Coordinates of all heavy atoms in Angstrom, one line a residue:
W28 N 1.9 1.6 10.6 CA 0.6 1.9 11.2 C 0.6 1.6 12.6 O 0.9 0.4 13.0 CB -0.5 1.2 10.5 CG -0.9 1.8 9.1 CD1 -0.5 1.3 7.9 CD2 -1.7 2.9 8.8 NE1 -1.0 2.1 6.9 CE2 -1.7 3.1 7.4 CE3 -2.3 3.9 9.6 CZ2 -2.4 4.1 6.8 CZ3 -3.0 4.9 9.0 CH2 -3.1 5.0 7.6
Y29 N 0.3 2.5 13.5 CA 0.1 2.3 14.9 C -1.4 2.6 15.2 O -2.1 3.2 14.4 CB 0.9 3.3 15.7 CG 2.4 3.0 15.8 CD1 3.3 3.4 14.7 CD2 3.0 2.4 16.9 CE1 4.6 3.1 14.8 CE2 4.3 2.2 17.0 CZ 5.1 2.5 15.9 OH 6.5 2.3 16.0
R30 N -1.8 2.2 16.4 CA -3.1 2.5 16.9 C -3.0 2.7 18.4 O -2.2 2.2 19.1 CB -4.1 1.5 16.5 CG -4.0 0.1 17.2 CD -5.0 -0.8 16.7 NE -4.9 -2.2 17.3 CZ -5.6 -3.2 16.9 NH1 -6.4 -3.1 15.9 NH2 -5.4 -4.4 17.6
R31 N -4.0 3.6 18.9 CA -4.1 3.8 20.3 C -5.6 3.6 20.7 O -6.4 4.5 20.2 CB -3.6 5.1 20.8 CG -3.6 5.3 22.3 CD -3.3 6.7 22.7 NE -2.0 7.1 22.3 CZ -0.8 7.0 22.9 NH1 -0.9 6.3 24.1 NH2 0.3 7.4 22.5
A32 N -5.9 2.6 21.4 CA -7.3 2.4 21.9 C -7.5 3.2 23.2 O -6.5 3.4 23.9 CB -7.6 0.9 22.1
P33 N -8.7 3.5 23.5 CA -9.0 4.2 24.8 C -8.4 3.5 26.0 O -8.7 2.3 26.2 CB -10.5 4.3 24.8 CG -10.9 4.2 23.4 CD -9.9 3.3 22.7
G34 N -7.6 4.2 26.8 CA -7.1 3.6 28.0 C -6.0 2.6 27.8 O -5.5 2.0 28.7
K35 N -5.4 2.5 26.6 CA -4.4 1.6 26.3 C -3.2 2.3 25.7 O -3.3 3.4 25.2 CB -4.8 0.5 25.3 CG -5.9 -0.4 25.9 CD -6.2 -1.6 25.0 CE -7.3 -2.5 25.6 NZ -7.5 -3.7 24.6
Q36 N -2.0 1.6 25.7 CA -0.8 2.2 25.1 C -0.9 2.1 23.6 O -1.6 1.2 23.0 CB 0.4 1.4 25.7 CG 0.7 1.7 27.1 CD 2.0 1.1 27.6 OE1 2.4 0.1 27.1 NE2 2.6 1.7 28.6
R37 N -0.1 2.9 23.0 CA 0.1 2.8 21.5 C 0.6 1.5 21.1 O 1.5 1.0 21.8 CB 0.9 4.0 21.1 CG 1.0 4.1 19.6 CD 1.9 5.3 19.2 NE 3.2 5.2 19.7 CZ 4.1 6.2 19.8 NH1 3.7 7.4 19.4 NH2 5.3 5.9 20.2
E38 N 0.1 0.9 20.0 CA 0.5 -0.4 19.6 C 0.9 -0.3 18.1 O 0.2 0.3 17.3 CB -0.7 -1.3 19.7 CG -0.5 -2.7 19.1 CD -1.8 -3.6 19.1 OE1 -2.9 -3.0 19.2 OE2 -1.7 -4.8 19.0
L39 N 2.0 -1.0 17.8 CA 2.4 -1.1 16.4 C 1.6 -2.2 15.7 O 1.6 -3.3 16.2 CB 3.9 -1.4 16.3 CG 4.5 -1.7 14.9 CD1 4.3 -0.5 14.0 CD2 5.9 -2.1 15.0
V40 N 0.9 -1.8 14.7 CA -0.1 -2.7 14.0 C 0.6 -3.4 12.9 O 0.5 -4.6 12.7 CB -1.3 -1.9 13.6 CG1 -2.2 -2.8 12.8 CG2 -2.0 -1.3 14.8
A41 N 1.3 -2.6 12.0 CA 1.8 -3.2 10.8 C 3.0 -2.3 10.3 O 3.0 -1.1 10.5 CB 0.7 -3.3 9.7
T42 N 3.9 -3.0 9.6 CA 5.1 -2.3 9.0 C 5.3 -2.8 7.6 O 5.1 -4.0 7.3 CB 6.3 -2.6 9.9 OG1 6.2 -2.1 11.2 CG2 7.6 -2.0 9.2
V43 N 5.7 -1.9 6.7 CA 6.2 -2.2 5.4 C 7.5 -1.5 5.2 O 7.6 -0.3 5.3 CB 5.1 -1.9 4.3 CG1 4.8 -0.4 4.3 CG2 5.6 -2.4 2.9
T44 N 8.5 -2.3 4.8 CA 9.8 -1.7 4.6 C 9.9 -1.0 3.2 O 9.0 -1.2 2.4 CB 10.9 -2.8 4.6 OG1 10.8 -3.6 3.5 CG2 10.8 -3.6 5.9
N45 N 11.0 -0.3 3.0 CA 11.1 0.3 1.7 C 11.2 -0.7 0.5 O 11.1 -0.3 -0.6 CB 12.3 1.3 1.7 CG 13.6 0.6 2.0 OD1 13.6 -0.5 2.4 ND2 14.7 1.4 2.0
R46 N 11.5 -1.9 0.9 CA 11.6 -3.0 -0.2 C 10.3 -3.8 -0.3 O 10.3 -4.8 -1.0 CB 12.8 -3.9 0.1 CG 14.1 -3.2 0.0 CD 15.3 -4.1 0.1 NE 16.6 -3.4 -0.1 CZ 17.7 -4.1 -0.2 NH1 17.8 -5.4 -0.1 NH2 18.8 -3.4 -0.4
G47 N 9.3 -3.5 0.6 CA 8.1 -4.1 0.5 C 7.8 -5.3 1.5 O 6.8 -5.9 1.4
S48 N 8.8 -5.6 2.3 CA 8.6 -6.6 3.3 C 7.6 -6.1 4.4 O 7.6 -4.9 4.7 CB 9.9 -7.0 4.0 OG 10.8 -7.6 3.0
T49 N 6.8 -7.0 4.9 CA 5.8 -6.6 5.8 C 5.8 -7.4 7.1 O 6.4 -8.5 7.2 CB 4.4 -6.8 5.2 OG1 4.2 -8.2 4.9 CG2 4.2 -6.0 4.0
G50 N 5.3 -6.8 8.2 CA 5.2 -7.4 9.5 C 3.9 -6.9 10.2 O 3.4 -5.8 9.9
Y51 N 3.4 -7.8 11.1 CA 2.1 -7.5 11.7 C 2.1 -7.9 13.2 O 2.8 -8.8 13.6 CB 1.0 -8.3 11.0 CG 0.8 -8.0 9.5 CD1 1.5 -8.7 8.6 CD2 0.0 -6.9 9.1 CE1 1.3 -8.4 7.2 CE2 -0.2 -6.6 7.8 CZ 0.5 -7.3 6.8 OH 0.4 -7.0 5.5
A52 N 1.3 -7.1 13.9 CA 1.0 -7.5 15.3 C 0.2 -8.8 15.3 O -0.6 -9.1 14.3 CB 0.2 -6.4 16.0
D53 N 0.4 -9.7 16.3 CA -0.3 -10.9 16.3 C -1.8 -10.7 16.3 O -2.6 -11.5 15.7 CB 0.1 -11.7 17.6 CG 1.4 -12.3 17.5 OD1 2.0 -12.4 16.4 OD2 2.0 -12.7 18.5
S54 N -2.3 -9.6 16.9 CA -3.7 -9.4 17.0 C -4.4 -9.1 15.7 O -5.6 -9.1 15.6 CB -4.0 -8.2 18.0 OG -3.3 -7.0 17.5
V55 N -3.6 -8.8 14.6 CA -4.2 -8.4 13.3 C -3.8 -9.4 12.2 O -4.3 -9.2 11.1 CB -3.9 -7.0 13.0 CG1 -4.4 -6.0 14.1 CG2 -2.5 -6.8 12.6
K56 N -2.9 -10.3 12.5 CA -2.4 -11.2 11.5 C -3.6 -12.0 10.8 O -4.4 -12.5 11.5 CB -1.4 -12.2 12.1 CG 0.0 -11.6 12.1 CD 1.0 -12.7 12.7 CE 2.4 -12.2 12.9 NZ 3.3 -13.1 13.5
G57 N -3.5 -12.0 9.5 CA -4.6 -12.7 8.8 C -5.8 -11.9 8.5 O -6.7 -12.3 7.7
R58 N -5.9 -10.7 9.1 CA -7.0 -9.8 8.9 C -6.7 -8.5 8.2 O -7.4 -7.9 7.5 CB -7.7 -9.5 10.2 CG -8.2 -10.8 11.0 CD -9.1 -10.4 12.2 NE -8.3 -9.6 13.2 CZ -8.6 -8.4 13.6 NH1 -9.7 -7.8 13.1 NH2 -7.9 -7.8 14.5
F59 N -5.5 -8.0 8.6 CA -5.0 -6.7 8.0 C -3.9 -6.9 7.0 O -3.1 -7.8 7.2 CB -4.5 -5.8 9.2 CG -5.5 -5.3 10.1 CD1 -6.8 -5.7 10.2 CD2 -5.1 -4.3 11.0 CE1 -7.7 -5.2 11.0 CE2 -6.0 -3.8 11.9 CZ -7.3 -4.3 11.9
T60 N -3.9 -6.1 6.0 CA -2.8 -6.1 5.0 C -2.3 -4.7 4.8 O -3.0 -3.8 4.5 CB -3.3 -6.7 3.7 OG1 -3.8 -8.0 3.9 CG2 -2.2 -6.7 2.7
I61 N -1.0 -4.5 5.0 CA -0.3 -3.2 4.7 C 0.3 -3.3 3.3 O 0.9 -4.4 2.9 CB 0.7 -2.9 5.8 CG1 1.2 -1.5 5.6 CG2 1.9 -3.9 5.8 CD1 2.1 -1.0 6.8
S62 N 0.3 -2.2 2.6 CA 0.9 -2.1 1.3 C 1.3 -0.7 1.0 O 0.9 0.2 1.7 CB -0.1 -2.7 0.2 OG -1.2 -1.9 0.1
R63 N 2.1 -0.5 0.0 CA 2.6 0.8 -0.4 C 2.6 1.0 -1.9 O 2.9 0.0 -2.6 CB 3.9 1.1 0.2 CG 5.1 0.2 -0.3 CD 6.3 0.4 0.6 NE 6.8 1.8 0.5 CZ 7.7 2.3 1.4 NH1 8.0 1.6 2.5 NH2 8.1 3.5 1.3
D64 N 2.4 2.2 -2.3 CA 2.5 2.5 -3.7 C 3.5 3.7 -3.8 O 3.2 4.8 -3.5 CB 1.1 3.0 -4.3 CG 1.1 3.2 -5.8 OD1 2.2 3.6 -6.3 OD2 0.1 3.2 -6.4
N65 N 4.7 3.4 -4.1 CA 5.8 4.4 -4.1 C 5.5 5.5 -5.2 O 6.0 6.6 -5.0 CB 7.1 3.7 -4.3 CG 7.6 2.9 -3.1 OD1 7.1 3.1 -2.0 ND2 8.5 2.0 -3.4
A66 N 4.9 5.1 -6.3 CA 4.6 6.1 -7.3 C 3.6 7.2 -6.8 O 3.7 8.3 -7.2 CB 4.0 5.4 -8.5

């Protein structure tokens, strides 16, 4: 998931790998959760 705020550059918000590992931007850690349902 990326986001682009008005007047700002695109920012990577969160990543989930094909094995389910996740990563987050510091600005959203503890508030956002990325997940996937492969089915």
Side-chain angles (χ1 to χ4, degrees):
W28 285 99
Y29 285 81
R30 67 185 180 187
R31 187 191 297 273
K35 294 187 177 181
Q36 290 187 332
R37 185 177 63 195
E38 174 188 22
L39 176 60
V40 175
T42 296
V43 59
T44 70
N45 57 353
R46 296 187 176 186
S48 297
T49 59
Y51 299 92
D53 287 343
S54 57
V55 306
K56 276 182 183 176
R58 299 188 298 121
F59 290 11
T60 302
I61 189 171
S62 61
R63 64 192 296 161
D64 184 336
N65 289 340

